[in-house]
Every structure is written in structure tokens, then in C-alpha cells.
Amino acid sequence: MTDKAAQGQQPGGGAAEEIGAKGPDELRRQIERTRSELGDTVEELAEKMDVKGRARARAADLRDKAGAMTVQLRSSAAHAGHLMQERASHAGHTVQDKASHAGHAVQERATHAGHVVQDKASRTGHTAQDKVTRTGHTLERRAEHGVPWPARPVVQAAIRHPRPALVIGAAVGFVVVVAWRYPRR
């Protein structure tokens, strides 16, 4: 007997009536109701006893949950990947900008240093050229006043054109050394 019958209710859910049927039609209705309730109870018991079916239903639920979690994890991983890519790109651009600024600063300093060296070399060259010019003028004045007349044009030509004078002087020096080293006998 079910709990409903023990509490004074009939299995159909109505209030407690007389247990006996009033007629054959009433008896048939009670039998149909009892069969229906018994069928529902048997189905519920069969579902509870069907371990394979319950396991399949549970497995299907777990598969659905796992699929949903997989989609969620993939989405999270993709988002994290995009986020890291953006951060790496930003960091790369920052490093590139800093390197570019540092390169420009080095280039400016090198250019400035090059200009300073060029200016100093130019001044040094002009100073040396001025000294050479003054020395040449001094030598020309001395040659005009201090060298006797027959040698004066030769000395002035040597002062104006020093290379040929050096070549000729080296040749004369060579001849003198050879003549001194190997005298005629």
C-alpha cells in the first residue's frame, strides 16, 4: 500500500471515499485508475533501475558540459593570445622608438664631433699653410739679398718649385757620394 492510502487518500488523489465500489461502472473506473497509477509507478521504478540508461544520460550531460567548457577555454585562450600579442607588439614598438631616439642622439653627437674635428683640422691646415707661406716669403727675401747674383735665379726657382729642386739635389748628392766612395785610379 502507498503512503497516500495510509493517509486516508485514494491513489487517484481524491478524499477518502468508501472502499467498495457502488456499481460495476465505478469498479471499472477504480480499476483503470489503479492500473494507470501502477503503470506510472512501474515506469518510475524501471527508470531508477535502468543503470545503463542513467549512465548514458549522465555521460551525455557530461559530454555537453565538457564541450561547453572546451569552447569557453578555447575562447579564453584565444583572447589571452591576442592580449599577449598586443602587449608584445606595444613593447616592440616602445623598444624600437627608444632605439631610434638613441640612434638619432648618437648620430647628432657624432655629426657634432665630426664638425668639431673638421673645424680644428681646417684651422690647423690654414695655420700650417700660413706658416709655410711666410717661410717661403722669408726664404725668397733672403735669396734676393743674401745669395750672390749668379746663383740667385737658381735658388729662387728651387724655392718656387721645390720638387724638381729636391730631385736634382738628390741626384747631385748621389753623384757626390759615388765619386767619393769610388775614386778614379
Side-chain angles (χ1 to χ4, degrees), residues 110-133:
T111 301
H112 178 71
H115 288 303
V116 168
V117 169
Q118 184 178 9
D119 289 343
K120 285 183 179 179
S122 177
R123 278 187 255 129
T124 303
H126 288 300
T127 303
Q129 187 176 11
D130 290 343
K131 286 182 180 180
V132 167
T133 302

Side-chain angles (χ1 to χ4, degrees), residues 9-175:
Q9 294 183 352
Q10 287 188 332
E17 298 177 6
E18 293 179 22
I19 296 184
K22 293 183 181 178
D25 289 333
E26 180 71 27
L27 185 62
R28 284 187 193 114
R29 279 192 295 251
Q30 284 180 357
I31 291 171
E32 283 298 318
R33 210 175 342 176
T34 304
R35 281 184 185 163
S36 175
E37 289 175 358
L38 187 59
D40 291 340
T41 305
V42 168
E43 284 179 15
E44 288 176 9
L45 287 174
E47 283 181 16
K48 288 183 179 179
M49 297 306 290
D50 185 14
V51 177
K52 283 185 180 180
R54 288 175 54 200
R56 285 186 195 126
R58 179 78 174 142
D61 288 343
L62 290 176
R63 260 194 310 273
D64 291 342
K65 285 181 182 178
M69 288 181 81
T70 301
V71 169
Q72 185 180 8
L73 287 175
R74 283 183 182 166
S75 174
S76 297
H79 178 69
H82 289 299
L83 185 64
M84 292 308 294
Q85 184 179 11
E86 287 176 10
R87 287 182 181 172
S89 177
H90 179 70
H93 288 300
T94 302
V95 168
Q96 185 179 11
D97 290 344
K98 286 182 180 181
S100 176
H101 290 305
H104 288 302
V106 168
Q107 184 179 11
E108 287 175 11
R109 288 179 183 155
T111 301
H112 178 71
H115 288 303
V116 168
V117 169
Q118 184 178 9
D119 289 343
K120 285 183 179 179
S122 177
R123 278 187 255 129
T124 303
H126 288 300
T127 303
Q129 187 176 11
D130 290 343
K131 286 182 180 180
V132 167
T133 302
R134 276 188 265 135
T135 303
H137 289 307
T138 304
L139 286 176
E140 282 181 10
R141 270 184 270 138
R142 283 185 184 170
E144 277 183 29
H145 300 293
V147 176
W149 188 89
R152 188 178 307 158
V154 174
V155 171
Q156 286 176 344
I159 290 172
R160 287 188 197 123
H161 308 290
R163 275 194 199 135
L166 287 174
V167 171
I168 292 171
V172 169
F174 179 72
V175 169

